[in-house]
């Protein structure tokens, strides 16, 4: 099982960036994929979550209306489109997966909880300059 996040980079405030998470070794429609981020000196936090089965989406309040998570099951890939970026969005972004069967639907980020994910990928750095 492997999750490979990509697409990070340097962008000016107000700009956009799209991250990709390519999954291998499992079928995306049996999992929920989450995006998490960790800023320097801060704890890792959840950003968004999408069900690979029905496409239901969940967002942290800090990114609602600015970020859009989507999936392409044929390519086993999940995307995070980030718009109206702010300097406080600067962080290493990680994607992670949790099997839907037997998972719990939390208030907030749905199936995705930082302590419950089954697989994690390496992060990709997003830097937003002011």
């Amino acid at each position: 099982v492997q999750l490979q996040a990509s697409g990070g980079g340097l962008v000016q405030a107000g700009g956009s960036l799209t991250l990709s998470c390519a999954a291998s070794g499992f079928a995306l429609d049996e999992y929920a994929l989450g995006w998490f981020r960790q800023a320097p000196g801060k704890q890792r936090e959840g950003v968004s979550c999408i069900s690979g089965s029905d496409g239901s989406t969940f967002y942290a309040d800090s990114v609602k209306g600015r970020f859009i998570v989507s999936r392409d099951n044929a390519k086993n890939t999940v995307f995070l489109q980030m718009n109206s970026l702010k300097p406080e969005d600067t962080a290493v972004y990680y994607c992670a997966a949790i099997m839907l069967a037997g998972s719990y639907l939390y208030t907030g980020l749905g199936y995705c909880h930082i302590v419950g994910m089954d697989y994690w990928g390496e992060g990709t750095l997003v830097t937003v300059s002011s």
Side-chain angles (χ1 to χ4, degrees), residues 88-123:
E88 51 263 44
D89 294 317
T90 294
V92 177
Y93 284 71
Y94 301 86
C95 59
I98 182 170
M99 184 178 286
L100 284 168
S103 62
Y104 181 79
L105 189 61
Y106 296 95
T107 301
L109 276 187
Y111 302 101
C112 300
H113 192 281
I114 195 166
V115 297
M117 307 306 285
D118 294 317
Y119 306 110
W120 287 85
E122 294 187 1

Side-chain angles (χ1 to χ4, degrees), residues 41-95:
K42 294 188 176 181
Q43 290 187 332
R44 193 171 297 186
E45 62 177 2
V47 175
S48 70
C49 182
I50 184 168
S51 166
S53 176
D54 63 10
S56 53
T57 57
F58 309 87
Y59 298 93
D61 289 342
S62 59
V63 305
K64 276 182 184 175
R66 300 189 298 123
F67 289 13
I68 301 171
V69 62
S70 62
R71 79 203 197 282
D72 184 336
N73 283 19
K75 296 182 178 180
N76 243 34
T77 301
V78 171
F79 306 94
L80 183 67
Q81 181 180 339
M82 306 184 294
N83 303 312
S84 301
L85 282 162
K86 305 175 182 180
E88 51 263 44
D89 294 317
T90 294
V92 177
Y93 284 71
Y94 301 86
C95 59

